[in-house]
Amino acid sequence: MRRIPCALLGLLASSACSDRAPDPRGVARDEVLVQIVADGRADTRPDEARFTAGVETIAATSREASRRNSEVINRVLAAVEGLGVRKDDVQTRNVGLSRIDYGPNRGRFQASNSFEVRVRNIDKVGEAIAATTDAGANVVSGPSLLVSDQEAAGRSAYAQAYKAARARAQTYADAAGLKVSRVLAIRDSGEAGIPQPYAGDMAAEAQAVAPAAPIVRPGMNRSEISIRVDFALAAK
């Protein structure tokens, strides 16, 4: 059996001890890890709106209530489409039919139908709401004012968050007499919340004289996001 010299055994043992496993966090032996959580915000003007319009009809029989309800709903839909709203932008939300068991209409039937309308031209929201009530909608709620491209709306917020994280890492580096050598990881913590202003819920009842178009002001929506960035700091 061939023997390995003791000097060679010592060299191998020394080499094995000096080979350290890489740090799972990504930092090198001469670097310091700093993890920064930063927020970013961006204000974007809404460019579309959604509101719900519906019709409630009461009659002596379920058949009559449904018939009258369908007549009015068809008029409301025609009015919306007349403003250029596409059929794909109108979606049914609820259809109901029930017997009334209390109050002055006890024993009669109530039919209801409501749908959500998406208006892509923010300047026509008030006109669209007025068109539905003019046509006979007696239950209206919304609108919710939205930014159609949420991803684009959040880009400046993400850029702002990264700049804030980088600036904070630089502050730590300066205080410690180090420099920011590289970025190890960027983690998207997601949206902290996107408040969406509402023009208020409106309850409208069919009247002989149609109401004027409501005033809808889009204002601004704020996108708020949070990220975590891992930086490696090293000697200057």
Side-chain angles (χ1 to χ4, degrees), residues 63-97:
R63 186 182 186 87
E64 181 64 13
S66 295
R67 185 189 66 79
R68 292 181 183 178
N69 190 274
S70 294
E71 287 181 354
V72 181
I73 279 292
N74 285 331
R75 292 202 301 269
V76 174
L77 290 172
V80 168
E81 292 174 4
L83 289 176
V85 176
R86 298 180 294 188
K87 289 185 177 182
D88 288 346
D89 289 337
V90 179
Q91 186 177 60
T92 297
R93 282 289 180 236
N94 179 68
V95 177
L97 178 62

Side-chain angles (χ1 to χ4, degrees), residues 22-74:
D23 192 314
R25 300 173 302 172
V27 291
R29 293 180 60 185
D30 58 347
E31 292 178 328
V32 176
L33 172 67
V34 59
Q35 298 176 323
I36 307 293
V37 176
D39 299 326
R41 299 175 181 83
D43 292 331
T44 310
R45 188 173 301 281
D47 57 2
E48 70 174 41
R50 301 190 184 205
F51 70 93
T52 301
V55 176
E56 293 182 352
T57 307
I58 297 175
T61 65
S62 59
R63 186 182 186 87
E64 181 64 13
S66 295
R67 185 189 66 79
R68 292 181 183 178
N69 190 274
S70 294
E71 287 181 354
V72 181
I73 279 292
N74 285 331

Side-chain angles (χ1 to χ4, degrees), residues 134-146:
D134 288 350
N138 54 11
V139 179
V140 179
S141 64
S144 56
L145 307 175
L146 310 169

